[in-house]
Amino acid sequence: MNNTSTLADYGSQTSFSSAGSGAAATLGLTTAMSVAGGVLFLLVMGAVWLARRRNRPGHVWWIWAGGVVLPVLALAALVAASTFTLAAIGRTGDTAPVIEVTGHHYWWDVVHDPQGRALRDANEIVLPADTKVTLRLRSGDVIHSFWVPSIAGKLDMIPGRVNEMTVTATRPGRYRGQCAEFCGLSHPLMAFEVLVLPPAEYAAYLAGLQDEARDADTAQLEQGREVFLREGCPACHVIRGIAEGGRIGPDLSRVGARGSLGAGMWRMNVGNLAGWIADVQDMKPVAEMPSFNHLSGPDLRAVAHYLASLK
């Protein structure tokens, strides 16, 4: 099952197609710096060509102008432009909705906190379009780094600290993010998705986060629920209305609705869910979940179908 054809390919991960105000400002600054650098390069090469053509050293004022004044002015302009841009995109909003994101080995715990109500999800961040949102970033173990190139710049997540950034997503769609700081052997497999929704759909999403998991309405789904409970999965995972209290692993209350499995790495479907449960170490080495390869075929299929039904 571990082959490239099953890898998740949802969402854009590029800095050249902005879908957020922070990414747009960063792209503008990068473009301006690149153009300015090109102009300065041409000026310097022109001065070198002129000096070689005259076949004699330039006047002293040429040395001061080209070797001291021009670099100082260029660097001062770049520092000022980058400082103002960073201040603009890093300014937090006091009234903005808060989403807490905690990086773990090797997944993302996401808590939406509208009006002080903690609504938990995992490996998928949902944002309302054209609305400022404050992201409160933490780490549960080592240094991670939060980066969604199409929406905002990256910010480190430091153990014992809380870093905040305010983002404004400007275009509905699905965008891919990535841990941008080496955090262990499965660091490349620690991605996530950002889903940007119109405000009305975002409100419906938040309402859905408060609902309990759907009932198991077939014999196979009932069998899968019983396998989930019997095998001790609630010690690590929550399914609202079925299993409460587990906080070690991701919340599975709507796992089947996510676009990907394994923190952005695999398409969400029954086959990949079954492969993940049976041999997680093959799909994500050193993940902190045991493999349940002792399950019988019917039990494995039942629990995979049950989890896929949670939406």
Side-chain angles (χ1 to χ4, degrees), residues 96-112:
V98 174
I99 300 177
E100 295 187 355
V101 182
T102 303
H104 297 279
H105 277 143
Y106 295 93
W107 62 283
W108 307 85
D109 196 14
V110 181
V111 178
H112 294 257

Side-chain angles (χ1 to χ4, degrees), residues 101 136-140 155-164:
V101 182
R136 194 169 292 158
L137 306 177
R138 311 171 186 265
S139 172
L155 187 62
D156 286 347
M157 309 164 83
I158 312 295
R161 291 190 56 182
V162 178
N163 289 337
E164 290 189 352

Side-chain angles (χ1 to χ4, degrees), residues 215-282:
D215 292 334
D217 53 8
T218 69
Q220 186 181 48
L221 296 184
E222 290 180 3
Q223 179 185 356
R225 182 186 60 192
E226 294 308 313
V227 172
F228 180 88
L229 297 173
R230 183 190 71 213
E231 295 295 327
C233 303
C236 298
H237 299 286
V238 167
I239 297 179
R240 287 187 298 275
I242 302 297
E244 306 283 353
R247 288 292 184 269
I248 298 174
D251 189 311
L252 301 181
S253 301
R254 56 179 300 277
V255 61
R258 295 174 194 151
S260 64
L261 169 69
M265 287 295 106
W266 304 87
R267 294 189 181 96
M268 179 60 69
N269 56 49
V270 173
N272 283 338
L273 274 169
W276 182 272
I277 296 165
D279 195 357
V280 64
Q281 295 301 321
D282 179 58

Side-chain angles (χ1 to χ4, degrees), residues 96-100 110-121 136 202-211 240 247:
V98 174
I99 300 177
E100 295 187 355
V110 181
V111 178
H112 294 257
D113 195 23
Q115 291 84 45
R117 303 192 313 274
L119 308 176
R120 192 166 179 244
D121 206 353
R136 194 169 292 158
Y202 178 72
Y205 164 78
L206 290 181
L209 281 184
Q210 303 176 67
D211 296 338
R240 287 187 298 275
R247 288 292 184 269

Side-chain angles (χ1 to χ4, degrees), residues 36 39-45 47 61-78:
V39 171
L40 288 174
F41 176 78
L42 293 177
L43 288 175
V44 171
M45 292 298 101
W61 70 268
W62 269 88
I63 297 175
W64 279 99
V68 177
V69 177
L70 183 60
V72 168
L73 291 178
L75 290 174
L78 294 177

Side-chain angles (χ1 to χ4, degrees), residues 61-197:
W61 70 268
W62 269 88
I63 297 175
W64 279 99
V68 177
V69 177
L70 183 60
V72 168
L73 291 178
L75 290 174
L78 294 177
V79 168
S82 59
T83 299
F84 284 122
T85 301
L86 182 62
I89 65 178
R91 189 176 297 117
T92 58
D94 295 335
T95 60
V98 174
I99 300 177
E100 295 187 355
V101 182
T102 303
H104 297 279
H105 277 143
Y106 295 93
W107 62 283
W108 307 85
D109 196 14
V110 181
V111 178
H112 294 257
D113 195 23
Q115 291 84 45
R117 303 192 313 274
L119 308 176
R120 192 166 179 244
D121 206 353
N123 295 326
E124 185 178 78
I125 299 169
V126 181
L127 300 176
D130 299 315
T131 303
K132 280 189 174 182
V133 175
T134 296
L135 299 178
R136 194 169 292 158
L137 306 177
R138 311 171 186 265
S139 172
D141 33 58
V142 301
I143 296 176
H144 300 283
S145 191
F146 181 93
W147 190 32
V148 190
S150 296
I151 294 179
K154 74 184 186 76
L155 187 62
D156 286 347
M157 309 164 83
I158 312 295
R161 291 190 56 182
V162 178
N163 289 337
E164 290 189 352
M165 67 187 302
T166 295
V167 301
T168 304
T170 56
R171 189 171 73 241
R174 188 178 290 272
Y175 306 94
R176 185 178 175 89
Q178 176 70 44
C179 178
E181 185 74 26
F182 181 75
C183 55
L185 294 179
S186 279
H187 161 70
L189 305 180
M190 187 175 170
F192 60 96
E193 292 182 311
V194 175
L195 181 61
V196 180
L197 299 175

